[in-house]
């Protein structure tokens, strides 16, 4: 029996492509590979100041690497914009239509694979995972058709049906008799990825018309919902400290997160090698699971109180090794909060929100809080300042109720 033929994902046939050439100093120059008047040509890209567009090597301190990544991201956006403009200018309309017809036969599943490859240079891991989530829901919706549907078969009406599917989505729990549905935020994120994916397909010439535009024009696209961020005040955190919890490891992990701002994904993965001795202090030196950005932070006295004893644990051992699933952690937190007399429903992520609001409430500037939380944008951190101001307004409003009538 002969060997089965290897199958490969067809590449997107761009008429103008971005190429990279490594320089001796480690930088990468960017140039265009294009066909013009039947001849192959190369064009090295320059910025508005007539300087060569180059990607810098991502080396140095964590802060330097982060700055270089942000700078390279902007360079890639500029290079892609130039590529699109050149492509429009070097091809004749008749040739474009013929090429579009051929590219439109690409399968949706193949384009999703190619799309992830195209954006991997300029976006983080979180954005790439959102595309994987989009792929999961498209497979769930299309069933066997997912393997055969072509890009040119995608229509506005088809995506309207996809949106209806997401809003009626139900998944039965394997552990117990519960049915899960998608939140408005989850639906928004799926369609946000779909919108970006189809927009790129249109710019690459894979489709002649973006089917998402029909929904956008009619205002049918899901809106970004207002997310309710629950945080604990200092008295509420104190109440939790005084209250017994049926899982001491969960109590320690949650309170540790309250005083350092880690997400649950970081708590799950945290190793003793990421807690470094710095003179008399201990520091967190880790890469965040969600964003893959480095974070360096001194552990304060309260965080150290809730840090488990290391005993004979090795550097590769986890700091919180036996934590249950987020679902079971949530059940423990609910019981613990009720016992502490806290009148709000909170999750493990509320510990991160609590850290941010406690910092701002105690006069720490928003830029420093942003760095401690590992936020890429100050706009994200400003949400915590708004939460603090809202809590102050609500506290003042209680006077109206006291003296009403």
């Amino acid at each position: 029996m002969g060997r089965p033929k290897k199958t490969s994902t067809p590449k997107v046939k761009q008429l103008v492509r971005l190429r990279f050439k490594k320089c001796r100093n480690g930088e990468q120059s960017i140039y265009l590979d294009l066909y013009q008047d039947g001849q192959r040509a190369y064009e090295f890209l320059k910025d508005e100041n007539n300087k060569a567009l180059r990607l810098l090597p991502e080396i140095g301190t964590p802060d330097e690497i982060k700055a270089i990544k942000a700078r390279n991201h902007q360079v890639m956006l500029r290079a892609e914009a130039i590529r699109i403009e050149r492509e429009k200018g070097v091809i004749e309309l008749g040739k474009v239509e013929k090429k579009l017809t051929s590219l439109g036969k690409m399968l949706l599943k193949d384009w999703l694979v190619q799309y992830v490859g195209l954006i991997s240079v300029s976006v983080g891991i979180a954005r790439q995972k959102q595309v994987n989530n989009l792929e999961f829901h498209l497979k769930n919706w299309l069933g066997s058709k997912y393997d055969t549907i072509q890009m040119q078969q995608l229509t506005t009406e088809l995506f309207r049906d996809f949106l209806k599917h997401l809003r009626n989505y139900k998944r039965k729990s394997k552990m117990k008799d519960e049915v899960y549905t998608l939140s408005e935020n989850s639906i928004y994120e799926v369609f946000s990825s779909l919108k970006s994916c189809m927009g790129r397909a249109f710019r690459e010439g894979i489709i002649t018309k973006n089917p998402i535009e029909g929904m956008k024009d009619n205002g049918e696209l899901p809106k970004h919902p207002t997310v309710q961020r629950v945080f604990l005040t200092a008295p509420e955190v104190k109440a939790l400290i005084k209250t017994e919890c049926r899982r001491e490891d969960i109590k320690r992990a949650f309170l540790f997160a309250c005083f350092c701002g880690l997400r649950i994904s970081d708590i799950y993965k945290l190793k003793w090698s990421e807690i470094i001795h710095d003179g008399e202090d201990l520091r967190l030196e880790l890469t965040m699971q969600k964003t893959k950005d480095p974070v360096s932070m001194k552990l304060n006295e309260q965080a150290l109180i809730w840090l488990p004893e290391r005993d004979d644990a090795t550097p590769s051992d986890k700091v919180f090794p036996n934590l249950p699933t987020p679902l079971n952690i949530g059940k423990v937190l609910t019981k613990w909060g009720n016992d502490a007399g806290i009148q709000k429903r909170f999750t493990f992520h509320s510990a991160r929100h609590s850290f941010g609001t406690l910092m701002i409430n105690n006069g720490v500037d928003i830029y420093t809080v942003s760095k401690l939380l590992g936020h890429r944008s100050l706009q994200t951190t400003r949400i915590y300042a708004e939460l603090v101001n809202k809590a102050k307004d609500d506290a003042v409003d209680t006077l109206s109720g006291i003296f009403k009538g």
Side-chain angles (χ1 to χ4, degrees):
M1 179 182 292
R3 291 184 178 179
K5 288 185 177 181
K6 292 183 178 180
T7 58
S8 60
T9 302
K11 294 183 178 180
V12 177
K13 297 179 181 178
Q14 297 177 329
L15 301 176
V16 180
R17 300 187 184 187
L18 287 176
R19 302 288 192 189
F20 306 91
K21 181 179 180 180
K22 193 167 185 179
C23 306
R24 290 184 178 180
N25 61 1
E27 297 179 0
Q28 292 186 73
S29 58
I30 309 173
Y31 65 94
L32 296 179
D33 180 355
L34 59 137
Y35 280 92
Q36 190 169 9
D37 299 327
Q39 299 293 322
R40 193 170 195 173
Y42 302 98
E43 177 186 346
F44 282 86
L45 300 186
K46 297 181 179 180
D47 61 17
E48 58 274 8
N49 298 318
N50 206 34
K51 293 183 179 180
L53 280 182
R54 290 188 174 183
L55 298 177
L56 302 181
E58 297 176 357
I59 56 176
T61 65
D63 286 341
E64 289 172 339
I65 292 173
K66 185 175 181 179
I68 292 171
K69 284 184 177 180
R71 183 259 180 201
N72 286 346
H73 174 65
Q74 293 300 319
V75 170
M76 283 302 302
L77 291 178
R78 172 64 177 159
E80 177 62 11
I82 295 174
R83 187 199 71 77
I84 293 171
E85 287 300 315
R86 293 289 188 278
E87 190 168 66
K88 291 178 180 178
V90 301
I91 51 180
E92 299 174 11
L93 185 60
K95 293 180 180 179
V96 175
E97 293 300 326
K98 183 178 179 181
K99 183 68 71 173
L100 289 174
T101 303
S102 173
L103 291 176
K105 294 180 181 178
M106 174 180 280
L107 297 178
L108 170 62
K109 66 174 185 177
D110 292 334
W111 164 244
L112 286 173
V113 173
Q114 191 68 27
Y115 174 64
V116 171
L118 289 171
I119 67 173
S120 61
V121 179
S122 56
V123 304
I125 300 296
R127 279 281 304 280
Q128 295 177 48
K129 286 183 177 179
Q130 288 177 359
V131 180
N132 294 335
N133 189 41
L134 167 64
E135 182 183 22
F136 168 81
H137 286 291
L138 285 171
K139 283 182 179 179
N140 181 271
W141 172 54
L142 291 168
S144 60
K145 292 181 181 179
Y146 178 77
D147 293 324
T148 58
I149 193 166
Q150 298 176 351
M151 292 296 291
Q152 62 186 1
Q153 295 174 314
L154 302 177
T155 64
T156 301
E157 192 58 41
L158 198 70
F159 286 141
R160 285 194 181 107
D161 291 339
F162 179 48
L163 180 56
K164 291 177 184 176
H165 163 80
L166 293 177
R167 285 178 170 155
N168 295 319
Y169 177 81
K170 293 180 180 179
R171 179 172 62 87
K172 192 172 183 181
S173 171
K174 295 180 180 179
M175 302 299 294
K176 56 192 302 185
D177 191 21
E178 291 183 356
V179 175
Y180 298 102
T181 58
L182 292 177
S183 66
E184 283 300 314
N185 188 60
S186 296
I187 294 173
Y188 169 81
E189 288 186 351
V190 171
F191 253 77
S192 180
S193 295
L194 180 63
K195 181 182 174 182
S196 300
C197 180
M198 291 299 107
R200 185 63 181 264
F202 176 73
R203 295 194 299 273
E204 296 291 341
I206 308 299
I207 50 179
T208 58
K209 184 178 180 181
N210 187 347
I212 290 293
E213 290 300 318
M215 298 181 69
K216 181 180 178 181
D217 294 341
N218 295 329
E220 300 173 79
L221 292 177
K223 302 290 191 301
H224 196 301
T226 302
V227 179
Q228 182 67 30
R229 287 176 170 83
V230 177
F231 68 94
L232 300 176
T233 62
E236 288 171 335
V237 174
K238 289 180 180 178
L240 288 176
I241 291 174
K242 295 177 181 178
T243 304
E244 184 179 350
C245 178
R246 72 171 186 247
R247 285 285 300 259
E248 181 64 20
D249 57 343
I250 293 178
K251 179 176 181 177
R252 282 186 171 276
F254 182 85
L255 291 173
F256 180 76
C258 281
F259 294 112
C260 65
L262 292 186
R263 298 179 180 89
I264 191 171
S265 57
D266 299 313
I267 291 290
Y268 276 131
K269 299 285 186 179
L270 185 63
K271 297 179 180 178
W272 285 106
S273 60
E274 294 169 315
I275 298 178
I276 311 296
H277 281 278
D278 183 14
E280 297 181 356
D281 300 324
L282 286 179
R283 300 186 67 85
L284 274 178
E285 298 281 352
L286 76 160
T287 300
M288 289 194 162
Q289 292 295 311
K290 181 178 180 180
T291 62
K292 301 304 177 185
D293 289 331
V295 169
S296 176
M297 179 196 309
K298 174 188 173 181
L299 290 177
N300 57 57
E301 290 182 4
Q302 285 298 318
L304 293 176
I305 289 173
W306 301 105
L307 190 67
E309 294 293 332
R310 181 167 179 172
D311 296 328
D312 57 351
T314 67
S316 61
D317 287 338
K318 292 182 179 180
V319 177
F320 299 97
N322 299 311
L323 292 176
T325 64
L327 181 63
N328 288 324
I329 287 178
K331 293 176 181 178
V332 174
L333 293 181
T334 299
K335 177 67 166 57
W336 184 28
N338 290 337
D339 292 345
I342 296 175
Q343 302 297 316
K344 62 178 70 166
R345 180 74 179 269
F346 62 93
T347 66
F348 198 98
H349 201 67
S350 300
R352 179 171 168 84
H353 295 325
S354 302
F355 175 77
T357 53
L358 287 171
M359 289 287 101
I360 292 175
N361 212 20
N362 283 278
V364 181
D365 66 275
I366 194 169
Y367 179 80
T368 302
V369 175
S370 179
K371 290 297 182 183
L372 292 173
L373 288 169
H375 286 160
R376 292 184 173 182
S377 169
L378 279 178
Q379 191 61 39
T380 306
T381 316
R382 285 195 181 96
I383 295 171
Y384 293 96
E386 292 170 3
L387 288 174
V388 171
N389 291 333
K390 176 67 165 57
K392 290 178 179 178
D393 290 344
D394 291 343
V396 172
D397 285 342
T398 58
L399 291 174
S400 299
I402 295 172
F403 294 99
K404 189 175 182 180

